[in-house]
Amino acid sequence: MPFSVFMDEALCGAEGFYTGGGGAGRRRDFITSPELGPLFGAVMARALDMWWNELGCPSPFMVAECGAGPGTLCRDILRARPACATELRYILVDTAEPMRALHRTNRFPLVDASEMLGQGEIRSDGDYVVVRGQGPLASSVPSLPDEPLHVILANELLDNLPFDIAQRADDHWDEVRVGLDSADGFRPLAVQLDAGRCALLDDLAPVATVGQTVPLQHAAASWVGSARSALAPGGRIVAIDYGAPLADLARRDGEWLRTYRGHERGVDPFAHAGTCDITADVAIDFVSRGQAVSSVATQAEFLTERGIAELVATARRVWTERAAIGDIEALAARSRIGEAEALLDPTGLGAFVVAEWVNRSR
């Protein structure tokens, strides 16, 4: 079978990793930028305000987060009280029901998506009425709505979409498929790729040598295309992931493929199928074919341009003033300083790629 089919079943099948509740979080399997603490969400709140103003302060301001996981980023953005909050309609998108169940347990202003996207008065599940201009509101759905969106966020989503694997042979490329061994375990199985995909890989990784492998991220490329079609004029996709050009991935001796289980990184996707996450570095040039990317930056550059230094400076001032007291405010400030160091680390999260696609039509 194609590796993408194996991966989809291992992650989202009846006994898959995400179906069973695996995912991001200190008590789960891996840590993402939002899971470090509230600083990442506070910077993203500033970014949303910037984009809202650039669009002329639309009401409602439609934001979707794809691959929302437990909802940590949404929670931290709302806690940061962005200026756009009264107009904000935040849609948490996750295919995994266990993650959407977590959205319902968080203290979000959660309403049904059909009500949130409708006109006029919106009733929550409680005993109060929310009207337009009195946000923020959040909803939890399994897929992107048809409503035009102003911002689509995707933090560590593209790396997790099912991909296939190609391996360089003497005069062509093979697809690395999944077969069964004599003990009913899984094993790689090489099948020659079609001429079209061989030509594409020759173009993107012309100096790849025999035995080198790369991901074939057709699902990620398709997602970018679908997400772009959901954008309102002037809207943008913001995708954050570890990534590099496909030629660079070829030189990494297969280390572009990762598994995570209980915060431990592995390299064998077959070893714990269904109980570990499976991801790949994102080949930005592959996924943006036909969907020209508007800008690419590192996470450190992106966060710096959106004011993380100002937030950290405030935290340093509070820590200096209250360190001797050692109260919660002082400890929160000290924690924020540590979060910034991790988010900007050029050997870690700071090196993540932030790719943006902007709908220039008006």
Side-chain angles (χ1 to χ4, degrees):
M1 76 178 83
F3 185 84
S4 56
V5 175
F6 164 82
M7 178 179 173
D8 188 51
E9 184 65 21
L11 295 181
C12 302
E15 298 181 0
F17 173 73
Y18 285 112
T19 308
R26 295 185 183 277
R27 298 182 180 180
R28 291 189 177 87
D29 297 277
F30 52 85
I31 294 291
T32 64
S33 292
E35 301 295 337
L36 283 173
L39 179 58
F40 185 79
V43 179
M44 292 306 299
R46 294 170 69 104
L48 288 180
D49 278 343
M50 180 186 302
W51 298 324
W52 181 58
N53 279 290
E54 289 175 357
L55 289 168
C57 304
S59 176
F61 182 39
M62 305 299 298
V63 176
E65 181 193 350
C66 295
T72 305
L73 179 57
C74 176
R75 180 194 65 203
D76 291 338
I77 286 174
L78 297 185
R79 284 180 175 175
R81 300 177 183 272
C84 65
T86 57
E87 315 304 332
L88 182 58
R89 305 295 184 264
Y90 197 106
I91 305 168
L92 299 108
V93 183
D94 206 293
T95 59
E97 170 54 30
M99 294 297 105
R100 298 199 302 278
L102 289 175
H103 302 163
R104 294 190 290 272
T105 64
N106 279 305
R107 294 185 177 180
F108 296 136
L110 202 65
V111 300
D112 182 82
S114 62
E115 294 177 342
M116 189 178 81
L117 299 175
Q119 298 295 317
E121 202 171 76
I122 305 172
R123 294 189 178 276
S124 76
D125 292 334
D127 58 359
Y128 65 96
V129 176
V130 182
V131 297
R132 293 171 66 85
Q134 294 184 3
L137 291 178
S139 66
S140 177
V141 296
S143 59
L144 276 174
D146 294 332
E147 191 86 0
L149 301 167
H150 298 108
V151 179
I152 299 176
L153 302 175
N155 184 61
E156 295 196 48
L157 168 72
L158 299 186
D159 69 288
N160 222 199
L161 296 179
F163 54 86
D164 291 313
I165 300 174
Q167 184 173 46
R168 181 68 196 182
D170 287 330
D171 58 356
H172 63 274
W173 289 83
D174 288 330
E175 179 183 352
V176 180
R177 294 195 163 210
V178 180
L180 292 175
D181 61 24
S182 58
D184 291 333
F186 298 106
R187 66 179 178 87
L189 180 67
V191 178
Q192 185 169 336
L193 270 178
D194 59 87
R197 285 188 289 178
C198 283
L200 172 62
L201 294 177
D202 284 340
D203 181 53
L204 295 178
V207 296
T209 59
V210 173
Q212 290 184 333
T213 61
V214 294
L216 296 170
Q217 294 168 314
H218 296 291
S222 177
W223 182 89
V224 171
S226 296
R228 285 195 67 181
S229 68
L231 290 175
R236 70 185 60 222
I237 301 166
V238 182
I240 306 173
D241 245 309
Y242 31 74
L246 194 79
D248 287 352
L249 301 188
R251 290 189 285 267
R252 295 184 182 179
D253 294 326
E255 291 188 1
W256 52 264
L257 193 156
R258 299 173 170 88
T259 67
Y260 290 96
R261 183 187 186 200
H263 296 279
E264 292 186 2
R265 177 179 171 176
V267 295
D268 183 357
F270 305 131
H272 304 285
T275 63
C276 67
D277 193 21
I278 304 173
T279 73
D281 286 39
V282 177
I284 297 298
D285 50 351
F286 188 98
V287 304
S288 61
R289 292 172 298 115
Q291 311 286 341
V293 65
S294 301
S295 66
V296 177
T298 66
Q299 176 165 295
E301 293 167 339
F302 177 87
L303 297 178
T304 298
E305 290 175 0
R306 283 151 186 83
I308 191 173
E310 182 180 341
L311 295 175
V312 175
T314 300
R316 290 187 187 280
R317 184 170 59 252
V318 172
W319 172 247
T320 300
E321 294 171 352
R322 307 188 69 85
I325 302 173
D327 59 4
I328 292 178
E329 188 176 353
L331 295 177
R334 184 66 187 89
S335 177
R336 173 161 287 195
I337 296 168
E339 289 170 41
E341 293 172 352
L343 292 171
L344 300 174
D345 181 1
T347 65
L349 292 171
F352 273 33
V353 171
V354 183
E356 297 187 54
W357 290 265
V358 180
N359 182 4
R360 302 294 186 187
S361 64
R362 289 290 182 180

